[in-house]
């Protein structure tokens, strides 16, 4: 079974989480069979280890991690690979796949450009 972790930095502001949770909801609506969870690097819960454990408990055998970072900064480039290795070690029967940072997808950058130009006189 497919599991997806929508992974973001985190914030103490509970409203900050709403767009992250919205992405997770859209994934769940798009594929009702996929198990979906949000996870955060710091400042709020759950962390990625807790989210992965929950998805594995629900039956996920392949977990895709979608980093909601706009670019490949330190967190995406250095911290996330370490966390991914820890997940693989903790759950050796599960395949963990790290997707590119969201901002590196040309479809997202094209959409943002389109949004910026909407309703332009």
């Amino acid at each position: 079974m497919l599991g997806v972790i929508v992974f973001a930095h985190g914030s103490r502001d509970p409203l900050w989480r709403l767009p992250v949770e919205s992405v997770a909801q859209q994934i769940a609506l798009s594929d009702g069979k996929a198990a979906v969870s949000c996870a955060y690097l710091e400042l709020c819960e759950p962390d990625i280890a807790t989210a992965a454990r929950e998805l594995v408990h629900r039956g996920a055998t392949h977990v895709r991690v979608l980093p909601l970072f706009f670019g490949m900064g330190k967190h995406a480039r250095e911290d996330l690979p370490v966390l991914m290795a820890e997940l693989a070690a903790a759950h050796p029967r599960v395949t963990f796949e790290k997707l590119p940072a969201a901002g590196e997808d040309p479809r997202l950058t094209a959409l943002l450009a389109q949004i910026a130009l909407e309703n332009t006189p």
Side-chain angles (χ1 to χ4, degrees):
M1 176 173 101
L2 177 63
V4 178
I5 296 174
V6 180
F7 184 65
H9 185 273
S11 171
R12 288 182 185 91
D13 183 344
L15 295 178
W16 177 90
R17 296 171 63 142
L18 295 178
V20 177
E21 292 169 357
S22 180
V23 171
Q25 290 169 354
Q26 286 294 320
I27 294 167
L29 288 172
S30 297
D31 184 348
K33 296 177 186 174
V36 185
S37 180
C38 296
Y40 304 95
L41 184 63
E42 58 188 22
L43 304 175
C44 53
E45 296 179 350
D47 63 13
I48 197 167
T50 302
R53 190 169 43 253
E54 173 193 316
L55 294 180
V56 170
H57 179 74
R58 291 169 54 191
T61 55
H62 182 150
V63 176
R64 301 180 91 193
V65 176
L66 173 62
L68 288 190
F69 297 110
F70 198 68
M72 281 298 288
K74 179 184 180 297
H75 293 314
R77 189 178 59 252
E78 296 176 17
D79 299 335
L80 186 52
V82 171
L83 294 170
M84 295 292 293
E86 291 171 358
L87 295 178
H91 307 281
R93 294 189 180 123
V94 177
T95 301
F96 288 92
E97 175 186 3
K98 181 179 73 64
L99 300 173
E104 294 192 334
D105 189 317
R107 294 170 296 180
L108 179 59
T109 53
L111 176 61
L112 292 172
Q114 178 185 343
I115 291 168
L117 296 172
E118 282 179 355
N119 301 320
T120 302

